[in-house]
Amino acid sequence: MKKSAISWACLFLTCGLLMSACQSKDKQKTDSTGSTGTPAGMSAIKDDVSQKTVVQIAVGSPDHTTLVAALQAAGLVDVLANPGPFTVFAPTNAAFDKLPKGTVDELLKPEKKRDLKNILQHHVTVSMYKTESFKDGQILEMAGGSKITLSVKDGQVKIGDAAIIGTVQGSNGIVHVIDGVLLPPAKK
Amino acid sequence: MWSRIKLSKLSYLALALLIGGLIFIVCSPKKDTMGTDDAASKVFVPPGSYDDFYAFLSGGFSGQVSVYGLPSGRLLKVIPVFAVNPENGWGYTEETKPMLTSVHGFIPWDDSHHPELSMTDGVPDGRWLFINANNTPRIARINLGTFRTDEILEIPNSGGSHASPFTTINTEYVVSATRFSVPIPDKDVPIASYKENFRGTVTFIKVDPKEGDMNIAFQILVPGYNFDLSHAGKGPSNGWFFFSCYNTEQAHTLLEVNASQNDKDFIMAVNWKKAEEYIAQGKFKEWASEYQRNRWDERTQTTIVEKLNKVKMLDPKECPDMLYLMPCPKSPHGADVDPSGEYIAGGGKLAGMVPVFSFSKMIKAIEEKAFDGDRDGIPVLKYDAVLAGEVQESGLGPLHTEFDDKGYGYTSHFITSEIVKWKIGTWEVVDRAPTYYSVGHLMIPGGDSKKPWGKYLLAMNKITKDRYLPTGPELTQSAQLFDISGDKMKMLSDFPTIGEPHYAQGIPAELVRKREVKFFDINKNEHKYVTKGPREAKVVRTGKEVHVWMTASRSHFTPDNIEGFKVGDVVYFHVTNIEQDWDVPHGFAIKGTQNSELLIMPGETCTMKWEPKKAGIYPFYCTDFCSALHQEMQGYARVSEANSNVPISFNKD
C-alpha cells in the first residue's frame, strides 16, 4: 500500500513534469523566428497609457463591433496599429446593418478575405485628413488604390453617400465615424 | 486495481526511464527550431570565428556608419563620419577638425543616409564605402583598409543630399540629388515663390579610379521636385541613372497632404553618357558655386582643405535627349535596378503595388516618342509604354527593393510592415514575411549590384516598441536578419542598431579583409610634428603658443613631466604612438581639457589643443589599456601664472 502511494505520487509527478517541462518558454514573448508561427504585430503591444491608435479607438467603440470583426477577418488590425498616418472612415454597426441581409456574414467567410480586404481598404487613406480640411469635390485615393469623392454641403461632410457623424483623433491617425459602408468599384 | 499493482525495484527503474523518455520526446525541440534548420545555429558564430559578411549600416541621425558581422549581428565598429566622436577624437583633434568644416563653418553633426560600396564591373569590390550627409549636403568616402573617413566633399547648389551616393558600375561616378529644392544659386526670396524660383540639381562626382579622390564633374539643373533615391543602370542600362522623385506638385507647405495629390510622380532617367558628351562639347555654363573638399592626406596625417568656387552646370533645356520622366505611383521612394539591368522597380510609398519598368521598353518609347507631354521641357514617357509589369496587391507602402541571385525581388512595405518577395518576369508575389516593426530599407549583400550574394536579407526597422527591454522614451531601431536561401524567407534574429539605419551594404568579408591595415608605418609618417623616438621629444615655446613633441609607447609618455606652461598659453600636444604592433592604440587625456581625448593608432601622430585656465598641476594619462603597466602610463604638466618666470623644462627617457 505504501509502495502504491509512492507510485501514485510518481505518476502525478510525471504528469506535472510533462505539463510543465516545456511551459517556461510560453511565459516569454512568442519568438519571431517564424518557426513557432507568426507572432502578432503592433496590435499586440501592451501599452495602456499612450494615446490610442485608430484600431484601439474602433475596438473600444460599442458601435463598431462589426467593423472590428471585419478588420480582424481581413488581417488589417496590425496594419492599422502601425505608425500610419491613417484616415479611417469607420462605418457603425447600423451602417453595416443597412447592407442587404447576409452580406456581412458572407464577407466574413475565409474565402472572401480578399473582397473584404478590398472593401475595408476603401475606407482607409494614408494621410491625416481633419474634417475641416475636406473640400467639396475633393477626391481621395484610398489604400487599395480606389478613389472616392467627398462632398461638403452646409457644413455636412459626406464621403461617397455616407455622412461623417463624428470624429476621433488617434495617435496614428484620425477616425471619421460614418453612417454608411463604402463599396469600391469591382477589382479586375 | 492500480493500488494492487506491486512495483518491484526493476519496475521503478523502468518507470523512471519511461518518464525520462517521455519528457525527452515531449520536449525535444522540433527539427524546425533546433535541428539543422535551427535559427540559432544559423546565426551562431563560435567565439574566435569570423562572420561571413561585413554589413555597413548607415547611422541615420547619429551621422556615422556602423559595421556589423553577418550572420551573427555582432557590432564590430562605429566609423565616425559626419558627427564628432570624442571616443577617438574625430572632429576634435587638430588633424580631423578640418574634415568637418564646410562653407558654413564647422559642422559637428549630420544625418547619414545611404552607404554605397565602390564597384568594379557592377560588383562591390571592397575598396571604399560612400555615404551622404542629408542635412548639409556632403558625400564622404570611407577607406575600407583603415575603416576611416578619408574624404568629405561638399555639394553646392543643393538643399539636402538624399538621392545619394549611388555609384556607376565601375565607380566612374557617385551621384547626389537634392531632396529639398532651393533657389539655385541660393538667394533671399519669398518661400511662396517656390514654383518660380526653387530648383533641384543632380550632381555627378568623378571618382579617381586609383586613389578614390572625388571631384564634382558636373551638375544638371532639374525641376523643383524632391529627389528621393537612385540607382545606376547596369548591363544594357549602363550609361543611365534612375532617380525617384516626389512632390511633383511642387508644394512648399504641409507636404504631408499637398505633396500627395498627384496619382503619379516620376522616376527620372538620366543618360549620363549623353551628359558627358554635352560637357565635352562645352554645352555647360560655369556657375559660381562655393564649396569645400576635405581630403585626408595619409602621408602628413592631416586634412587638406580645398575651397572651390565653380561647377559646370548643364541645363536640360539646352541639352535634349538627356532626361526623361517615367510616371510612377505615388510618391516613389526606391528606384532599384535588378541584377540584369533590364528592370527598374519603383516604390510608391503611398501605393499598394510595385511598378516595375523595362529599360528596353523605355528606349523604344523614347525612339517612338511615346510621350505624355513634358514637364519643364523634359519629356514624360507614357506609363504603359515603359511598364514591364506591376506586382499587384503587394502590400501597402512599398519602399525599397533588393534582389537575390535567383530571379526574385524583395520589397519592403512600411505601412503593412512586411517584406514581399516577388518573381521577376511574372511579377507574382511568392512569399511575404512580417517585420517587427515598420520596415524601411532592406539589404541583401550585393543586392543592388550585378551579383547578389543571396543568402541573407537584412530588414531595417523604424519602430521597436516592445521588442527589447525598455529604455525609456527613446528606443533603439533594429535590424532583422532573414535566411533567404530557400523558397520561404525565414527570420533568424534581430539586433539593435546605431541611430537609424536608412540603408546598408553587405559584402563577403574576404573582399574587405585583403585590404586590412594593422598599423601605420612610422617611417612613412611625415606629420609636421611627428616624434619618431623618445630622443626627439621636445617642448618649444613661441610667444603664447607651446608645442609638445611627445611619444607614447608601452607604458610611458616622453616627456612625462613638463613645466613652464602659463595661464593664457595655447598648448598643442602632438603625441606619436611609436609602436608598430597591431591593436595597441594609446590614449591621451589631460585634466580640465575642453576637448576630447586623443586615441592614437600605432605609427600615428595626433594633436590635442589645450588652453589651461588656472595655475596648478595637471595630470595626464593613457586612456586605452595598453599593458599591465597601463596604470603607470601618466605624467604631469605644471601651469604657472601668466606673469611667472618658470622656464620650459621637460624630461626625456
Side-chain angles (χ1 to χ4, degrees), chain A residues 123-186:
Chain A
H123 289 76
V124 178
T125 186
V126 182
S127 213
M128 183 106 67
Y129 290 106
K130 299 193 171 178
T131 315
E132 55 271 26
S133 76
F134 290 135
K135 294 180 186 69
D136 193 40
Q138 184 178 351
I139 295 168
L140 293 184
E141 183 166 332
M142 311 309 279
S146 50
K147 289 182 182 161
I148 194 157
T149 306
L150 289 154
S151 67
V152 184
K153 290 203 169 65
D154 306 325
Q156 174 62 64
V157 183
K158 279 184 143 185
I159 177 154
D161 295 328
I164 294 179
I165 54 176
T167 294
V168 188
Q169 179 69 50
S171 61
N172 64 341
I174 194 164
V175 179
H176 297 294
V177 179
I178 54 174
D179 66 359
V181 176
L182 310 172
L183 295 174

Side-chain angles (χ1 to χ4, degrees), chain A residues 1 3-4 6-8 10-11 14 17-18 21-22 29 32-36 38-42 44-46 79 82-86 114 118 121 126-129 141 143 147 187, chain B residues 2-3 5-8 12 15 19 22-23 26-27 32-33 39 256-257 260-261 263 330 350-352 393 396 414-417 434 436-438 463 465-467 480 490-492 494:
Chain A
M1 206 53 204
K3 269 190 179 172
S4 72
I6 293 171
S7 64
W8 271 111
C10 278
L11 273 171
T14 310
L17 265 174
L18 287 176
C22 303
K29 276 160 47 80
S32 54
T33 60
S35 53
T36 53
T38 303
M42 273 204 186
I45 293 170
K46 289 187 175 54
V79 173
N82 284 334
F86 300 109
R114 189 172 167 223
N118 282 340
Q121 287 188 350
V126 182
S127 213
M128 183 106 67
Y129 290 106
E141 183 166 332
K147 289 182 182 161
K187 276 225 166 186
Chain B
W2 273 99
S3 65
I5 295 173
K6 302 279 185 232
L7 293 168
S8 66
Y12 278 114
L15 186 62
I19 294 167
L22 266 173
I23 291 176
V26 172
C27 299
D32 209 26
T33 54
E256 179 186 4
V257 172
S260 308
Q261 300 299 311
D263 284 352
K330 313 189 37 164
L350 302 179
E393 295 181 42
L396 297 180
F414 178 79
I415 297 172
T416 43
S417 188
Y436 304 88
Y437 305 102
S438 303
I463 308 282
K465 292 221 182 202
D466 64 345
R467 294 293 298 178
Q480 290 185 309
K490 189 178 171 197
M491 189 186 287
L492 299 176
D494 66 6

Side-chain angles (χ1 to χ4, degrees), chain B residues 178 198-202 220-225 227 268 316 323 376 378:
Chain B
T178 47
F198 288 42
R199 308 293 296 273
T201 53
V202 175
I220 302 173
L221 207 53
V222 291
Y225 307 151
F227 291 85
M268 183 175 78
L323 304 186
D376 283 10
I378 305 169

Side-chain angles (χ1 to χ4, degrees), chain B residues 63 109 152 162 171 188 238 250 339 351 475 489 499 536-537 579 598 634:
Chain B
W109 169 92
I152 295 181
H162 196 277
T171 321
D188 172 13
N238 182 31
Q250 297 186 277
L475 302 174
M489 293 177 274
E536 294 174 23
E579 310 249 14
L598 300 176
Q634 64 163 58

Side-chain angles (χ1 to χ4, degrees), chain B residues 81-95:
Chain B
V81 187
F82 293 117
V84 295
N85 189 43
E87 181 183 330
N88 65 3
W90 179 253
Y92 290 92
T93 67
E94 295 307 296
E95 291 79 7

Side-chain angles (χ1 to χ4, degrees), chain B residues 247-262:
Chain B
N247 191 23
T248 56
E249 298 85 351
Q250 297 186 277
H252 58 83
T253 178
L254 200 64
L255 266 63
E256 179 186 4
V257 172
N258 295 331
S260 308
Q261 300 299 311
N262 291 347

